[in-house]
Amino acid sequence: MRIIGDIPHPDCKITIYAWNTKYLIKIEKNNIEQTFKIPEVELSSESELYEIVKGEFLDDALARFKGMQDSLKTALNRLD
């Protein structure tokens, strides 16, 4: 797996990878992460990855973290 680059963001860590004829967009916040895989043939250049990780796509991913954190908290509370 090769790191293409990082996208600075104040609320999460965003890393772009190339691996096995796919690009991976990995978004991490606290102890939760989301990874999106995009076949290389879907894009004309790596620079398009940076265009994808803007606006509504990133807003949706960040909003999704709340639900993921709630699910994990609920599951951990059942262990008590």
Side-chain angles (χ1 to χ4, degrees):
M1 190 173 315
R2 176 177 62 96
I3 296 176
I4 294 173
D6 294 311
I7 299 174
H9 193 276
D11 296 327
C12 61
K13 180 179 179 186
I14 305 170
T15 309
I16 307 293
Y17 298 92
W19 178 71
N20 202 22
T21 69
K22 292 182 182 73
Y23 294 115
L24 283 70
I25 300 170
K26 183 176 177 182
I27 305 171
E28 301 173 74
K29 185 172 181 177
N30 300 324
N31 60 337
I32 307 255
E33 66 182 45
Q34 298 176 56
T35 302
F36 301 88
K37 298 177 183 178
I38 303 168
E40 288 179 355
V41 298
E42 293 290 322
L43 305 176
S44 60
S45 71
E46 290 180 359
S47 64
E48 288 183 323
L49 292 163
Y50 294 88
E51 292 301 314
I52 290 170
V53 185
K54 286 184 179 178
E56 190 176 339
F57 175 85
L58 186 55
D59 292 344
D60 289 348
L62 292 173
R64 199 173 297 113
F65 277 118
K66 171 77 169 102
M68 294 170 75
Q69 188 65 49
D70 290 347
S71 294
L72 179 59
K73 183 178 178 180
T74 299
L76 291 173
N77 285 339
R78 278 190 233 125
L79 298 175
D80 293 337

